């Protein structure tokens, strides 16, 4: 209506006003309910998403401000920011935040990302059978169910496990990894499990760099590292951004792997935020408090998500 | 004269290239060996009558471990539960995603962009974070410990990514073919089923396999939403059987891990072959 009004009043001057939209529209027979029938197929997806994804998120935002408990409580009451205030004074929560940070930085930013790039660039130069073999092994680790990966790496890091056997064989000091350095053990486990994704993303990105460019740099005498720094990395920076974002989001929500390997222990030495949340909800029965933590995690995730969308903005 | 100079100049470069290839091969093999150690453990232990926690040559080859776990309590019921759970949820996801992707890909609307942005945003939300509220919600609406509730949640959690992938694949199918069908009076649904979906077979199989693999390996969702042991899928039951028993039967654990992992590995190989190299998922995510 609002766009139609100026046309009517402008009279002859209407040609000057932006009459683009109506003219460029395809000359299809205009029927009113058509937009609705066309949108109809989206309905099942939208209903499912609203009920089972948007619903829980909204509910999360609500009960994070209540003192809801697991059992024995008829009604929960609104407590405002109490849960958040408790959280930031809770040593265990701060410990979980710190461990989540360590876990994310070590396993995602440093581990998966760098190792994935290293594997992808080695693959560019390696011979085909070696490339296929390595790719196959790394991808198998990625495709394995989370719990299986957890058990495999539990066996690997145990005191009587493979890692110590290898260290003994190399005459290096062995260590009770899951007890002394549990957060490092689970971080390495996550690197083992998640590197394939980075490797695939970077392989695809490196394949798109035209051969002439690297060859020209080579003729100009640029060595391996300089080529990497000045040519390869700038050319794949979009992939780096995407990969870092997705890795980080993935890593923030790892639960099963850590649960199987250490249960967050010993004590709370490998208790990242998802495990902390679980413990508060089901061992301490504090659903409201756990949900407040969940909401914080969700907010951090959304932040990364928005950054990721900005990286992909041109493609929607 | 000129010839000898050029050939002399070329040969060191070629040998340098060869030595570089050898170095790359050696580096990759070292990484491959490190990645393979845990995998070697599971394969060797499953065949070992006296398996322990480290990689070692088996004391003898036996299939007893497989024999011991191939019972309905340990293997068949959980795997069947997994199949029902992930199969139904995948079916629901793929159907909803295909239906939703069609108008998004074919018709222009002011709502497309905001909708797609919301979908993209939802693909990267950490689902783990909302599991506690989902649990609380499911208790209130009596969906806790039901297969259908878990299936619906699984489908919803996988749907954003499935719609996103499906829409991108559908964009690759030219519109002209359908326009002919439209003038012949075919409805949108007919042209979707008869023309578009058959043309994007690889795309549909990627979405299907990807959704299924993600759900098959998912531990946290059924761990939270299902309670009774007879409904547990393999991802949770493996933890109950082996995690809580103090992990003594390592050979059996390894054998079960292999039985449980094989379907997803095979499915992955299937789509990787189909798409030439298996780089499609990385590429699809990259956009």
């Amino acid at each position: 209506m609002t766009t139609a009004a100026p046309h009517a009043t402008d009279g002859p001057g209407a040609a000057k006003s932006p009459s683009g939209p109506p003219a460029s529209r395809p000359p299809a027979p205009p029927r009113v309910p058509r937009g609705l029938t066309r949108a109809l197929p989206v309905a099942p997806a939208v209903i499912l998403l609203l009920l089972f994804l948007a619903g829980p998120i909204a509910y999360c935002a609500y009960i994070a401000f209540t003192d809801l408990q697991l059992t024995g409580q008829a009604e929960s009451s609104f407590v405002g920011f109490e849960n958040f205030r408790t959280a930031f004074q809770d040593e265990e929560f701060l410990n979980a935040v710190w461990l989540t940070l360590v876990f994310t930085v070590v396993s995602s930013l440093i581990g998966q990302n760098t190792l994935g790039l290293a594997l992808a660039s080695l693959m560019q130069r390696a011979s085909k059978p070696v490339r296929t073999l390595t790719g196959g092994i790394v991808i198998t680790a990625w495709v394995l169910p989370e719990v299986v990966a957890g058990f495999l790496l539990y066996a690997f890091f145990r005191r009587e496990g493979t890692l110590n056997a290898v260290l003994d064989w190399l005459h290096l000091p062995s260590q009770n990894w899951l007890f002394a350095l549990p957060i490092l053990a689970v971080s390495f486990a996550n690197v083992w499990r998640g590197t394939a994704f980075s490797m695939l993303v970077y392989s695809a990105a490196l394949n798109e760099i035209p051969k002439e460019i690297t060859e020209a740099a080579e003729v100009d005498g640029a060595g391996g590292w300089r080529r990497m720094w000045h040519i390869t990395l700038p050319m794949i920076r979009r992939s780096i951004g995407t990969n870092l974002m997705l890795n980080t989001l993935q890593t923030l929500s790892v639960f099963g792997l850590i649960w199987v390997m250490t249960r967050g222990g010993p004590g709370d030495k490998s208790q990242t935020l998802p495990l902390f949340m679980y413990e508060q909800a089901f061992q301490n029965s504090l659903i409201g408090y756990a949900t407040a933590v969940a909401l914080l995690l969700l907010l951090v995730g959304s932040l990364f998500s928005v950054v990721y969308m900005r990286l992909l903005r041109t493609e929607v | 004269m000129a010839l000898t100079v050029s050939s002399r100049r070329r040969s060191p470069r070629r040998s340098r290239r060869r030595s570089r290839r050898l170095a790359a091969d050696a580096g990759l093999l070292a990484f491959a060996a490190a990645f393979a150690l845990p995998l070697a453990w599971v394969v060797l232990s499953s065949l070992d009558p006296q398996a322990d926690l480290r990689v070692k040559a088996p004391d003898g080859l036996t299939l007893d471990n497989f024999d011991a776990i191939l019972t309905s309590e340990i293997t068949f019921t959980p795997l069947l539960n997994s199949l029902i759970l992930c199969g139904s949820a995948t079916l629901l996801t793929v159907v909803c995603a295909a239906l939703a992707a069609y108008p998004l890909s074919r018709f222009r609307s002011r709502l497309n962009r905001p909708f797609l942005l919301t979908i993209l945003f939802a693909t990267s939300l950490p689902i783990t974070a909302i599991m506690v509220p989902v649990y609380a919600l499911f208790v209130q609406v009596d969906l806790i410990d039901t297969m259908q509730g878990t299936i619906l949640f699984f489908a919803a959690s996988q749907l954003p990514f499935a719609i996103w992938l499906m829409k991108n694949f559908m964009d690759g199918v030219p519109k002209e073919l359908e326009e002919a069908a439209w003038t012949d009076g075919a409805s949108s649904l007919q042209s979707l089923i008869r023309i578009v979906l058959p043309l994007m077979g690889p795309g549909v199989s990627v979405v299907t396999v990807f959704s299924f693999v993600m759900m098959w390996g998912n531990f946290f969702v059924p761990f939270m939403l299902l309670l009774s042991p007879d409904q547990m899928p393999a991802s949770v039951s493996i933890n109950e059987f082996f995690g809580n028993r103090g992990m003594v039967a390592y050979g059996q654990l390894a054998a079960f891990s292999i039985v449980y992992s094989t379907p997803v590995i095979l499915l992955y190989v299937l789509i990787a072959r189909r798409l030439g190299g298996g780089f499609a998922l990385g590429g699809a995510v990259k956009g």
Side-chain angles (χ1 to χ4, degrees), chain A residues 82-106:
Chain A
E82 189 56 38
N83 287 326
F84 297 93
R85 234 170 283 144
T86 316
F88 284 104
Q89 283 160 7
D90 185 350
E91 297 251 321
E92 282 181 54
F93 171 76
L94 297 175
N95 171 60
V97 170
W98 167 244
L99 288 176
T100 309
L101 215 61
V102 172
F103 182 62
T104 311
V105 170
V106 171

PDB file of all heavy atoms in Angstrom, chain A residues 82-106:
ATOM      1  N   GLU A  82      20.327 -14.294  39.846  1.00  0.00           N
ATOM      2  CA  GLU A  82      20.949 -15.006  40.945  1.00  0.00           C
ATOM      3  C   GLU A  82      21.877 -16.133  40.457  1.00  0.00           C
ATOM      4  O   GLU A  82      23.008 -16.283  40.923  1.00  0.00           O
ATOM      5  CB  GLU A  82      19.851 -15.585  41.851  1.00  0.00           C
ATOM      6  CG  GLU A  82      20.349 -16.167  43.154  1.00  0.00           C
ATOM      7  CD  GLU A  82      21.157 -15.178  43.994  1.00  0.00           C
ATOM      8  OE1 GLU A  82      20.790 -13.991  44.027  1.00  0.00           O
ATOM      9  OE2 GLU A  82      22.165 -15.614  44.580  1.00  0.00           O
ATOM     10  N   ASN A  83      21.374 -16.935  39.486  1.00  0.00           N
ATOM     11  CA  ASN A  83      22.165 -18.060  38.989  1.00  0.00           C
ATOM     12  C   ASN A  83      23.484 -17.604  38.389  1.00  0.00           C
ATOM     13  O   ASN A  83      24.519 -18.250  38.558  1.00  0.00           O
ATOM     14  CB  ASN A  83      21.377 -18.832  37.932  1.00  0.00           C
ATOM     15  CG  ASN A  83      20.263 -19.648  38.552  1.00  0.00           C
ATOM     16  OD1 ASN A  83      20.405 -20.145  39.659  1.00  0.00           O
ATOM     17  ND2 ASN A  83      19.150 -19.760  37.841  1.00  0.00           N
ATOM     18  N   PHE A  84      23.415 -16.490  37.670  1.00  0.00           N
ATOM     19  CA  PHE A  84      24.639 -16.006  37.030  1.00  0.00           C
ATOM     20  C   PHE A  84      25.604 -15.468  38.079  1.00  0.00           C
ATOM     21  O   PHE A  84      26.813 -15.647  37.991  1.00  0.00           O
ATOM     22  CB  PHE A  84      24.294 -14.927  35.999  1.00  0.00           C
ATOM     23  CG  PHE A  84      23.446 -15.453  34.879  1.00  0.00           C
ATOM     24  CD1 PHE A  84      22.066 -15.362  34.936  1.00  0.00           C
ATOM     25  CD2 PHE A  84      24.027 -16.080  33.789  1.00  0.00           C
ATOM     26  CE1 PHE A  84      21.290 -15.871  33.911  1.00  0.00           C
ATOM     27  CE2 PHE A  84      23.259 -16.591  32.764  1.00  0.00           C
ATOM     28  CZ  PHE A  84      21.873 -16.491  32.829  1.00  0.00           C
ATOM     29  N   ARG A  85      25.036 -14.778  39.087  1.00  0.00           N
ATOM     30  CA  ARG A  85      25.880 -14.267  40.166  1.00  0.00           C
ATOM     31  C   ARG A  85      26.567 -15.428  40.883  1.00  0.00           C
ATOM     32  O   ARG A  85      27.760 -15.409  41.142  1.00  0.00           O
ATOM     33  CB  ARG A  85      25.025 -13.455  41.147  1.00  0.00           C
ATOM     34  CG  ARG A  85      25.569 -12.048  41.370  1.00  0.00           C
ATOM     35  CD  ARG A  85      24.571 -11.208  42.152  1.00  0.00           C
ATOM     36  NE  ARG A  85      23.470 -10.748  41.321  1.00  0.00           N
ATOM     37  CZ  ARG A  85      22.216 -10.624  41.748  1.00  0.00           C
ATOM     38  NH1 ARG A  85      21.893 -10.971  42.980  1.00  0.00           N
ATOM     39  NH2 ARG A  85      21.290 -10.173  40.936  1.00  0.00           N
ATOM     40  N   THR A  86      25.765 -16.478  41.167  1.00  0.00           N
ATOM     41  CA  THR A  86      26.355 -17.660  41.803  1.00  0.00           C
ATOM     42  C   THR A  86      27.482 -18.212  40.940  1.00  0.00           C
ATOM     43  O   THR A  86      28.556 -18.553  41.452  1.00  0.00           O
ATOM     44  CB  THR A  86      25.292 -18.769  41.960  1.00  0.00           C
ATOM     45  OG1 THR A  86      24.090 -18.178  42.436  1.00  0.00           O
ATOM     46  CG2 THR A  86      25.756 -19.852  42.907  1.00  0.00           C
ATOM     47  N   ALA A  87      27.216 -18.312  39.642  1.00  0.00           N
ATOM     48  CA  ALA A  87      28.196 -18.930  38.745  1.00  0.00           C
ATOM     49  C   ALA A  87      29.532 -18.210  38.825  1.00  0.00           C
ATOM     50  O   ALA A  87      30.575 -18.853  38.983  1.00  0.00           O
ATOM     51  CB  ALA A  87      27.674 -18.927  37.318  1.00  0.00           C
ATOM     52  N   PHE A  88      29.487 -16.884  38.734  1.00  0.00           N
ATOM     53  CA  PHE A  88      30.766 -16.177  38.667  1.00  0.00           C
ATOM     54  C   PHE A  88      31.490 -16.122  40.011  1.00  0.00           C
ATOM     55  O   PHE A  88      32.617 -15.655  40.083  1.00  0.00           O
ATOM     56  CB  PHE A  88      30.569 -14.780  38.065  1.00  0.00           C
ATOM     57  CG  PHE A  88      30.380 -14.857  36.582  1.00  0.00           C
ATOM     58  CD1 PHE A  88      29.125 -14.698  36.009  1.00  0.00           C
ATOM     59  CD2 PHE A  88      31.460 -15.152  35.751  1.00  0.00           C
ATOM     60  CE1 PHE A  88      28.957 -14.818  34.640  1.00  0.00           C
ATOM     61  CE2 PHE A  88      31.288 -15.267  34.384  1.00  0.00           C
ATOM     62  CZ  PHE A  88      30.035 -15.096  33.820  1.00  0.00           C
ATOM     63  N   GLN A  89      30.810 -16.601  41.065  1.00  0.00           N
ATOM     64  CA  GLN A  89      31.538 -16.725  42.329  1.00  0.00           C
ATOM     65  C   GLN A  89      31.880 -18.177  42.640  1.00  0.00           C
ATOM     66  O   GLN A  89      32.504 -18.471  43.655  1.00  0.00           O
ATOM     67  CB  GLN A  89      30.693 -16.138  43.471  1.00  0.00           C
ATOM     68  CG  GLN A  89      30.724 -14.621  43.462  1.00  0.00           C
ATOM     69  CD  GLN A  89      29.579 -14.013  44.225  1.00  0.00           C
ATOM     70  OE1 GLN A  89      28.814 -14.733  44.882  1.00  0.00           O
ATOM     71  NE2 GLN A  89      29.442 -12.717  44.139  1.00  0.00           N
ATOM     72  N   ASP A  90      31.453 -19.060  41.748  1.00  0.00           N
ATOM     73  CA  ASP A  90      31.633 -20.486  41.974  1.00  0.00           C
ATOM     74  C   ASP A  90      32.999 -20.915  41.421  1.00  0.00           C
ATOM     75  O   ASP A  90      33.250 -20.825  40.222  1.00  0.00           O
ATOM     76  CB  ASP A  90      30.493 -21.235  41.255  1.00  0.00           C
ATOM     77  CG  ASP A  90      30.524 -22.721  41.530  1.00  0.00           C
ATOM     78  OD1 ASP A  90      31.524 -23.203  42.108  1.00  0.00           O
ATOM     79  OD2 ASP A  90      29.545 -23.390  41.161  1.00  0.00           O
ATOM     80  N   GLU A  91      33.861 -21.361  42.327  1.00  0.00           N
ATOM     81  CA  GLU A  91      35.209 -21.768  41.905  1.00  0.00           C
ATOM     82  C   GLU A  91      35.144 -22.866  40.843  1.00  0.00           C
ATOM     83  O   GLU A  91      35.905 -22.858  39.888  1.00  0.00           O
ATOM     84  CB  GLU A  91      35.981 -22.312  43.113  1.00  0.00           C
ATOM     85  CG  GLU A  91      36.202 -21.300  44.193  1.00  0.00           C
ATOM     86  CD  GLU A  91      37.653 -20.874  44.268  1.00  0.00           C
ATOM     87  OE1 GLU A  91      38.515 -21.751  44.107  1.00  0.00           O
ATOM     88  OE2 GLU A  91      37.906 -19.678  44.458  1.00  0.00           O
ATOM     89  N   GLU A  92      34.203 -23.788  41.043  1.00  0.00           N
ATOM     90  CA  GLU A  92      34.114 -24.905  40.111  1.00  0.00           C
ATOM     91  C   GLU A  92      33.734 -24.431  38.714  1.00  0.00           C
ATOM     92  O   GLU A  92      34.221 -24.938  37.705  1.00  0.00           O
ATOM     93  CB  GLU A  92      33.067 -25.920  40.588  1.00  0.00           C
ATOM     94  CG  GLU A  92      33.548 -26.801  41.697  1.00  0.00           C
ATOM     95  CD  GLU A  92      32.468 -27.785  42.100  1.00  0.00           C
ATOM     96  OE1 GLU A  92      31.972 -28.502  41.216  1.00  0.00           O
ATOM     97  OE2 GLU A  92      32.104 -27.811  43.279  1.00  0.00           O
ATOM     98  N   PHE A  93      32.828 -23.442  38.679  1.00  0.00           N
ATOM     99  CA  PHE A  93      32.428 -22.895  37.382  1.00  0.00           C
ATOM    100  C   PHE A  93      33.620 -22.224  36.702  1.00  0.00           C
ATOM    101  O   PHE A  93      33.885 -22.449  35.521  1.00  0.00           O
ATOM    102  CB  PHE A  93      31.291 -21.887  37.567  1.00  0.00           C
ATOM    103  CG  PHE A  93      30.957 -21.124  36.317  1.00  0.00           C
ATOM    104  CD1 PHE A  93      30.247 -21.721  35.295  1.00  0.00           C
ATOM    105  CD2 PHE A  93      31.363 -19.808  36.163  1.00  0.00           C
ATOM    106  CE1 PHE A  93      29.941 -21.010  34.144  1.00  0.00           C
ATOM    107  CE2 PHE A  93      31.061 -19.100  35.015  1.00  0.00           C
ATOM    108  CZ  PHE A  93      30.351 -19.702  34.003  1.00  0.00           C
ATOM    109  N   LEU A  94      34.355 -21.406  37.473  1.00  0.00           N
ATOM    110  CA  LEU A  94      35.493 -20.711  36.878  1.00  0.00           C
ATOM    111  C   LEU A  94      36.541 -21.710  36.406  1.00  0.00           C
ATOM    112  O   LEU A  94      37.150 -21.537  35.350  1.00  0.00           O
ATOM    113  CB  LEU A  94      36.087 -19.730  37.894  1.00  0.00           C
ATOM    114  CG  LEU A  94      35.105 -18.619  38.287  1.00  0.00           C
ATOM    115  CD1 LEU A  94      35.690 -17.738  39.373  1.00  0.00           C
ATOM    116  CD2 LEU A  94      34.715 -17.786  37.082  1.00  0.00           C
ATOM    117  N   ASN A  95      36.702 -22.777  37.200  1.00  0.00           N
ATOM    118  CA  ASN A  95      37.596 -23.851  36.786  1.00  0.00           C
ATOM    119  C   ASN A  95      37.138 -24.453  35.450  1.00  0.00           C
ATOM    120  O   ASN A  95      37.957 -24.674  34.552  1.00  0.00           O
ATOM    121  CB  ASN A  95      37.615 -24.923  37.886  1.00  0.00           C
ATOM    122  CG  ASN A  95      38.341 -26.177  37.462  1.00  0.00           C
ATOM    123  OD1 ASN A  95      39.517 -26.125  37.149  1.00  0.00           O
ATOM    124  ND2 ASN A  95      37.638 -27.293  37.446  1.00  0.00           N
ATOM    125  N   ALA A  96      35.829 -24.674  35.321  1.00  0.00           N
ATOM    126  CA  ALA A  96      35.304 -25.254  34.085  1.00  0.00           C
ATOM    127  C   ALA A  96      35.519 -24.309  32.908  1.00  0.00           C
ATOM    128  O   ALA A  96      35.859 -24.746  31.805  1.00  0.00           O
ATOM    129  CB  ALA A  96      33.823 -25.580  34.238  1.00  0.00           C
ATOM    130  N   VAL A  97      35.329 -23.012  33.138  1.00  0.00           N
ATOM    131  CA  VAL A  97      35.554 -22.035  32.066  1.00  0.00           C
ATOM    132  C   VAL A  97      37.009 -22.094  31.624  1.00  0.00           C
ATOM    133  O   VAL A  97      37.320 -22.151  30.424  1.00  0.00           O
ATOM    134  CB  VAL A  97      35.203 -20.604  32.540  1.00  0.00           C
ATOM    135  CG1 VAL A  97      35.662 -19.579  31.514  1.00  0.00           C
ATOM    136  CG2 VAL A  97      33.721 -20.479  32.778  1.00  0.00           C
ATOM    137  N   TRP A  98      37.912 -22.104  32.612  1.00  0.00           N
ATOM    138  CA  TRP A  98      39.341 -22.154  32.304  1.00  0.00           C
ATOM    139  C   TRP A  98      39.685 -23.413  31.518  1.00  0.00           C
ATOM    140  O   TRP A  98      40.377 -23.353  30.499  1.00  0.00           O
ATOM    141  CB  TRP A  98      40.137 -22.052  33.611  1.00  0.00           C
ATOM    142  CG  TRP A  98      41.583 -22.399  33.481  1.00  0.00           C
ATOM    143  CD1 TRP A  98      42.227 -23.433  34.063  1.00  0.00           C
ATOM    144  CD2 TRP A  98      42.568 -21.695  32.707  1.00  0.00           C
ATOM    145  NE1 TRP A  98      43.550 -23.422  33.707  1.00  0.00           N
ATOM    146  CE2 TRP A  98      43.794 -22.368  32.867  1.00  0.00           C
ATOM    147  CE3 TRP A  98      42.528 -20.564  31.884  1.00  0.00           C
ATOM    148  CZ2 TRP A  98      44.964 -21.958  32.247  1.00  0.00           C
ATOM    149  CZ3 TRP A  98      43.701 -20.158  31.264  1.00  0.00           C
ATOM    150  CH2 TRP A  98      44.903 -20.841  31.446  1.00  0.00           C
ATOM    151  N   LEU A  99      39.154 -24.565  31.972  1.00  0.00           N
ATOM    152  CA  LEU A  99      39.470 -25.818  31.277  1.00  0.00           C
ATOM    153  C   LEU A  99      38.881 -25.835  29.870  1.00  0.00           C
ATOM    154  O   LEU A  99      39.503 -26.349  28.938  1.00  0.00           O
ATOM    155  CB  LEU A  99      38.944 -27.008  32.080  1.00  0.00           C
ATOM    156  CG  LEU A  99      39.715 -27.309  33.364  1.00  0.00           C
ATOM    157  CD1 LEU A  99      39.060 -28.439  34.123  1.00  0.00           C
ATOM    158  CD2 LEU A  99      41.163 -27.654  33.046  1.00  0.00           C
ATOM    159  N   THR A 100      37.688 -25.258  29.711  1.00  0.00           N
ATOM    160  CA  THR A 100      37.095 -25.197  28.374  1.00  0.00           C
ATOM    161  C   THR A 100      37.975 -24.368  27.454  1.00  0.00           C
ATOM    162  O   THR A 100      38.185 -24.717  26.283  1.00  0.00           O
ATOM    163  CB  THR A 100      35.693 -24.569  28.443  1.00  0.00           C
ATOM    164  OG1 THR A 100      34.950 -25.242  29.448  1.00  0.00           O
ATOM    165  CG2 THR A 100      34.977 -24.693  27.121  1.00  0.00           C
ATOM    166  N   LEU A 101      38.508 -23.268  28.009  1.00  0.00           N
ATOM    167  CA  LEU A 101      39.393 -22.404  27.229  1.00  0.00           C
ATOM    168  C   LEU A 101      40.647 -23.177  26.805  1.00  0.00           C
ATOM    169  O   LEU A 101      41.045 -23.152  25.641  1.00  0.00           O
ATOM    170  CB  LEU A 101      39.776 -21.204  28.094  1.00  0.00           C
ATOM    171  CG  LEU A 101      39.942 -19.882  27.372  1.00  0.00           C
ATOM    172  CD1 LEU A 101      38.644 -19.483  26.716  1.00  0.00           C
ATOM    173  CD2 LEU A 101      40.400 -18.819  28.361  1.00  0.00           C
ATOM    174  N   VAL A 102      41.258 -23.873  27.776  1.00  0.00           N
ATOM    175  CA  VAL A 102      42.467 -24.650  27.468  1.00  0.00           C
ATOM    176  C   VAL A 102      42.147 -25.705  26.414  1.00  0.00           C
ATOM    177  O   VAL A 102      42.845 -25.844  25.403  1.00  0.00           O
ATOM    178  CB  VAL A 102      43.009 -25.330  28.749  1.00  0.00           C
ATOM    179  CG1 VAL A 102      44.135 -26.299  28.402  1.00  0.00           C
ATOM    180  CG2 VAL A 102      43.491 -24.293  29.734  1.00  0.00           C
ATOM    181  N   PHE A 103      41.053 -26.409  26.652  1.00  0.00           N
ATOM    182  CA  PHE A 103      40.640 -27.482  25.736  1.00  0.00           C
ATOM    183  C   PHE A 103      40.440 -26.931  24.329  1.00  0.00           C
ATOM    184  O   PHE A 103      40.920 -27.510  23.349  1.00  0.00           O
ATOM    185  CB  PHE A 103      39.346 -28.100  26.272  1.00  0.00           C
ATOM    186  CG  PHE A 103      38.826 -29.252  25.473  1.00  0.00           C
ATOM    187  CD1 PHE A 103      39.567 -30.412  25.341  1.00  0.00           C
ATOM    188  CD2 PHE A 103      37.583 -29.190  24.873  1.00  0.00           C
ATOM    189  CE1 PHE A 103      39.078 -31.492  24.627  1.00  0.00           C
ATOM    190  CE2 PHE A 103      37.089 -30.257  24.158  1.00  0.00           C
ATOM    191  CZ  PHE A 103      37.843 -31.406  24.030  1.00  0.00           C
ATOM    192  N   THR A 104      39.758 -25.786  24.217  1.00  0.00           N
ATOM    193  CA  THR A 104      39.477 -25.223  22.901  1.00  0.00           C
ATOM    194  C   THR A 104      40.748 -24.730  22.223  1.00  0.00           C
ATOM    195  O   THR A 104      40.983 -25.013  21.047  1.00  0.00           O
ATOM    196  CB  THR A 104      38.486 -24.054  23.026  1.00  0.00           C
ATOM    197  OG1 THR A 104      37.393 -24.486  23.823  1.00  0.00           O
ATOM    198  CG2 THR A 104      37.978 -23.625  21.688  1.00  0.00           C
ATOM    199  N   VAL A 105      41.574 -24.011  22.976  1.00  0.00           N
ATOM    200  CA  VAL A 105      42.779 -23.454  22.361  1.00  0.00           C
ATOM    201  C   VAL A 105      43.732 -24.577  21.958  1.00  0.00           C
ATOM    202  O   VAL A 105      44.201 -24.629  20.816  1.00  0.00           O
ATOM    203  CB  VAL A 105      43.477 -22.467  23.323  1.00  0.00           C
ATOM    204  CG1 VAL A 105      44.846 -22.083  22.792  1.00  0.00           C
ATOM    205  CG2 VAL A 105      42.621 -21.229  23.488  1.00  0.00           C
ATOM    206  N   VAL A 106      43.982 -25.502  22.889  1.00  0.00           N
ATOM    207  CA  VAL A 106      44.950 -26.561  22.585  1.00  0.00           C
ATOM    208  C   VAL A 106      44.437 -27.469  21.475  1.00  0.00           C
ATOM    209  O   VAL A 106      45.142 -27.749  20.505  1.00  0.00           O
ATOM    210  CB  VAL A 106      45.269 -27.396  23.846  1.00  0.00           C
ATOM    211  CG1 VAL A 106      46.101 -28.618  23.481  1.00  0.00           C
ATOM    212  CG2 VAL A 106      46.003 -26.551  24.859  1.00  0.00           C
TER     213      VAL A 106
END
